[in-house]
Amino acid sequence: MDVTRADFIPIVPELFLLGATCAILLIDLFLSEQRRGLIHFLSLATLAATAVLILRAWGDQGVAAEAAWSGMFLRDNVGDVLKLAICLVSAVVFIYAKPYLRARDLFKGEFYTLCLFSVLGMMLLVSAGSLITVYLGLELMALSTYALVAMDRENRRATEAAMKYFVLGALASGMLLYGMSMLYGATGSLDLATISQMAAEGGAGDRRLLVLGVVFMLVGIAFKFGAAPFHMWLPDVYHGAPTAMTLFIGSAPKLAAFGMAYRLLEGSAGNLGEFWQIMVAWLAVLSLVIGNVLALMQTNLKRMLAYSTISHVGFLFLGLAHGGPEGYAAAMFYAISYALMSAAAFGAIILLSRRGFEAEEISDFRGLNHKNPWHAGLVLMIMASMAGVPPFLGFWAKLAVLRAAVEANMVWLAIVAVVFAVIGAFYYLRVIKVMYFDEPEDTTQADDRPADAHLRWVLSATRCFCWCWASRGAP
């Protein structure tokens, strides 16, 4: 493979992020605990500069796709939009997580460097043009999140969650690799575009082997999303990990998972849609049923949000099942919307938590409107948006994927989704009911600590941003 200067131009944002993360890792070695805030500032500046580089190259590039490193790395509008969303969500996560980490003696450079390395893996994943790049990006993202969950070594619950996450993640990666090996065996190529072309022209050696490879890849995709029946890791990891870590793994990686699904399904298996579209549809049904039904039984808010994640993945799969540009656009809109809503939901838990108290139980929100109406209003908007109540962002996201399902002649799937959307609204409304109609157990006023002022303002700004985006409607 001949490497030229032109190969480095599309990957400049990733190279900058890698260099800046390594520099932050070295700087952290020489900082005292009192100056740890510098790492927080440098991490936010790194994400902002990376986003500027993406925007600058995006403006030069226009709408044309660009390939580098012999097609292993792709630069197109889909990848750029997802990268910008990943940088935005990750920056919001850093701001939300800071007071939580400080209060629990977890405000360390490892949190920021692991998150930044994970972001780097996500950016590689959404720009993958080869099966090799897909796996490299996926493992860089996954290994960083495994370590992130286990960062609080004194927390036995977090350690157990990290072990479960690692073991099941390794199993899913093995299935994904097995599927990739079948694609390579059937086509003799690792390039996604070549695989797609050979599948369309009938040049694959064994079409059954090709289809079986796509099936195994779908298993890997479903695991990374947390779709049923490959969701067994999700509730325990969300519940066991410290909330700041759950905040990260519950938001930005979902964007990378969509990017992986788009590259693999559209890039290599787009011409096998008649095989995988119905499989994705049934994965959506299972996720909607299992996620919503089990979420109804939860009293722990983090576990409830974990099971609701499964149901949201079911909605996202409605767009993927379309298999066309409109379906992918709807699914990407849903993925970005959900990442913002999920970050805001876990940010609300952090906002109400304090040292020695984790606001993880739904009962912890009892009578919140009496103590702090502003906080209660923010949580109300978050829950209403996730439930799909108009005119909040979640409504437009659900409308987009339902429209995609109908356009794909899967009216039955859209009906199932609407039924379970109504069922799922119950557990979100239960949180609202507890805040507004139950008497508070603690009658003291909420503590408005100046140290958390930035968290409250950013949480409010996030809701305003989602409201403005929702006012424009779905794509």
Side-chain angles (χ1 to χ4, degrees):
M1 180 176 65
D2 295 328
V3 179
T4 64
R5 182 176 178 272
D7 288 319
F8 288 93
I9 296 176
I11 205 171
V12 164
E14 285 78 8
L15 291 176
F16 170 80
L17 179 59
L18 174 61
T21 305
C22 292
I24 290 173
L25 185 62
L26 292 175
I27 292 172
D28 182 61
L29 292 174
F30 302 97
L31 287 179
S32 62
E33 290 294 331
Q34 293 73 22
R35 302 182 63 188
R36 194 70 68 191
L38 178 63
I39 298 299
H40 175 78
F41 172 78
L42 289 176
S43 300
L44 289 174
T46 297
L47 291 174
T50 303
V52 169
L53 290 173
I54 295 169
L55 284 171
R56 184 177 180 181
W58 194 12
D60 296 338
Q61 177 188 340
V63 296
E66 186 178 0
W69 302 89
S70 299
M72 293 181 65
F73 186 89
L74 299 178
R75 188 73 194 279
D76 56 12
N77 288 339
V78 173
D80 284 350
V81 170
L82 287 173
K83 289 176 188 177
L84 288 172
I86 288 169
C87 289
L88 172 63
V89 172
S90 300
V92 170
V93 167
F94 287 169
I95 297 173
Y96 286 173
K98 182 181 177 182
Y100 182 93
L101 297 173
R102 276 193 181 279
R104 290 153 184 83
D105 298 325
L106 295 174
F107 191 55
K108 302 175 182 178
E110 289 91 331
F111 173 80
Y112 293 96
T113 53
L114 285 172
C115 288
L116 289 175
F117 277 123
S118 183
V119 169
L120 177 61
M122 297 177 204
M123 293 176 64
L124 288 176
L125 186 56
V126 301
S127 290
S130 166
L131 295 177
I132 293 178
T133 321
V134 169
Y135 193 71
L136 286 176
L138 177 64
E139 288 306 297
L140 179 56
M141 176 189 75
L143 291 174
S144 300
T145 53
Y146 299 155
L148 197 63
V149 174
M151 201 180 86
D152 186 6
R153 289 175 290 183
E154 303 300 322
N155 188 335
R156 297 177 63 180
R157 195 174 67 181
T159 304
E160 179 184 348
M163 289 295 293
K164 181 176 290 188
Y165 193 16
F166 174 75
V167 171
L168 294 177
L171 179 62
S173 296
M175 291 186 177
L176 186 66
L177 272 179
Y178 191 45
M180 290 178 177
S181 68
M182 290 181 180
L183 292 185
Y184 178 74
T187 61
S189 175
L190 295 171
D191 183 71
L192 297 180
T194 303
I195 294 172
S196 180
Q197 182 179 1
M198 293 184 69
E201 297 174 353
D206 188 342
R207 191 170 180 83
R208 290 174 298 179
L209 185 64
L210 193 65
V211 173
L212 191 59
V214 172
V215 171
F216 275 96
M217 285 199 310
L218 271 177
V219 172
I221 291 171
F223 178 88
K224 294 305 175 184
F225 268 114
F230 309 102
H231 65 283
M232 63 288 293
W233 63 275
L234 200 65
D236 291 336
V237 172
Y238 274 37
H239 185 207
T243 306
M245 288 62 175
T246 307
L247 170 64
F248 181 76
I249 64 176
S251 53
K254 295 298 183 286
L255 297 171
F258 168 78
M260 179 177 70
Y262 174 76
R263 295 301 179 193
L264 290 177
L265 297 180
E266 172 64 15
S268 65
N271 297 296
L272 298 172
E274 67 272 18
F275 296 103
W276 60 260
Q277 282 175 293
I278 191 63
M279 294 174 58
V280 171
W282 281 107
L283 284 173
V285 171
L286 286 174
S287 299
L288 288 166
V289 174
I290 293 176
N292 283 303
V293 171
L294 293 182
L296 292 172
M297 308 174 186
Q298 306 305 314
T299 58
N300 182 277
L301 187 58
K302 288 172 69 174
R303 293 189 75 88
M304 189 201 83
L305 290 174
Y307 283 109
S308 76
T309 295
I310 300 168
S311 69
H312 283 291
V313 169
F315 276 102
L316 192 150
F317 276 16
L318 265 65
L320 292 180
H322 182 284
E326 295 82 5
Y328 290 124
M332 184 168 71
F333 179 71
Y334 198 98
I336 296 173
S337 302
Y338 171 73
L340 290 170
M341 292 186 296
S342 179
F346 287 107
I349 296 176
I350 290 177
L351 180 65
L352 299 178
S353 300
R354 57 184 182 271
R355 184 187 292 270
F357 172 72
E358 304 286 340
E360 296 182 359
E361 300 296 327
I362 295 177
S363 59
D364 294 333
F365 288 72
R366 189 188 305 274
L368 179 61
N369 184 57
H370 296 284
K371 297 189 290 184
N372 195 315
W374 179 250
H375 291 175
L378 290 176
V379 177
L380 182 147
M381 287 190 288
I382 294 167
M383 293 297 137
S385 183
M386 297 189 82
V389 176
F392 296 99
L393 178 62
F395 169 77
W396 299 106
K398 284 182 169 63
L399 183 63
V401 293
L402 287 170
R403 184 187 303 161
V406 172
E407 290 176 354
N409 296 320
M410 294 183 178
V411 179
W412 64 273
L413 182 58
I415 293 173
V416 171
V418 170
V419 170
F420 280 95
V422 175
I423 294 173
F426 173 80
Y427 50 83
Y428 294 117
L429 294 175
R430 184 173 59 183
V431 178
I432 298 173
K433 177 258 180 187
V434 165
M435 291 191 303
Y436 282 88
F437 298 102
D438 288 6
E439 291 296 325
E441 295 179 352
D442 182 7
T443 57
T444 59
Q445 292 295 314
D447 181 19
D448 291 331
R449 290 163 290 175
D452 295 346
H454 68 287
L455 172 58
R456 294 195 298 274
W457 283 110
V458 173
L459 185 60
S460 303
T462 303
R463 297 311 309 150
C464 291
F465 174 79
C466 292
W467 182 277
C468 294
W469 194 13
S471 66
R472 299 178 58 188

